[in-house]
Amino acid sequence: EDQVTQSPEALRLQEGESSSLNCSYTVSGLRGLFWYRQDPGKGPEFLFTLYSAGEEKEKERLKATLTKKESFLHITAPKPEDSATYLCAVQAEDFGNEKLTFGTGTRLTIIP
Amino acid sequence: EAQVTQNPRYLITVTGKKLTVTCSQNMNHEYMSWYRQDPGLGLRQIYYSMNVEVTDKGDVPEGYKVSRKEKRNFPLILESPSPNQTSLYFCASSLYGPNNRGRETQYFGPGTRLLVL
């Protein structure tokens, strides 16, 4: 069974204090790993897709990386508007299986 | 504006009273999916649809039904709701399913908060 574990559950940072969020996964062959951002009361918003170990993607202050066992979401010099819950999801390389498996998220708070 | 819409946004009902949550997308997406989100459990997939008349179970399908008669609509039906179906529900769509590299980005609706008494 596919599993996704995110850590920490919650993270409080001062504005400008860089850090990383972790997403560990267990799948029978990874087809894709997805990062989403979710603001309170809203639906998840797509950030990145990573397909293979060593791949990296960047968007503004966010950078996502992927290894064979985990992914990191690095946040550089965060601002208060980066406060949100960040979700990780995986899709297994299983013909006919189109399901996404989500982690429970990391709730990030950036203090001005 | 490209979007996924859900209705209603909030719903309070009683056990056993059939209800339908509608989902519609205006992006001509083939793939649509329903999730529920519960504290400590994250987002769990209920049902998904690869195209019109093609649906399949996700991880937690019990107590739910879906249909896909038109490409743009994917309603979620609770025939006899129970209190354990109290949750936050999200509909999502993508151009193609996750099996299509580069075209699998899922766009989520705003959510429907359901309370079953």
Side-chain angles (χ1 to χ4, degrees), chain A residues 1 30-32 34 36 38 41-47 49 51-52 55 85 87 91-105, chain B residues 9-10 31 35 37 40-45 48 50 56-59 88 90 97-111 113:
Chain A
E1 184 178 328
L30 180 70
R31 178 174 289 155
F34 305 82
Y36 285 84
Q38 186 175 23
K42 295 190 175 181
E45 177 186 341
F46 171 77
L47 293 173
T49 309
Y51 296 107
S52 54
E55 190 174 358
T85 296
L87 303 172
Q91 211 271 324
E93 202 168 61
D94 183 1
F95 180 76
N97 177 2
E98 306 294 343
K99 293 185 289 186
L100 278 178
T101 301
F102 278 85
T104 53
Chain B
R9 294 290 313 280
Y10 304 92
Y31 182 90
Y35 297 85
Q37 188 173 37
L41 295 177
L43 277 156
R44 293 178 293 167
Q45 194 170 52
Y48 63 91
M50 296 297 293
D56 205 350
K57 296 177 181 179
D59 291 319
L88 179 58
F90 289 102
N99 193 19
N100 290 267
R101 183 174 288 203
R103 300 186 183 87
E104 76 285 80
T105 300
Q106 291 198 25
Y107 298 90
F108 282 77
R113 191 168 291 279

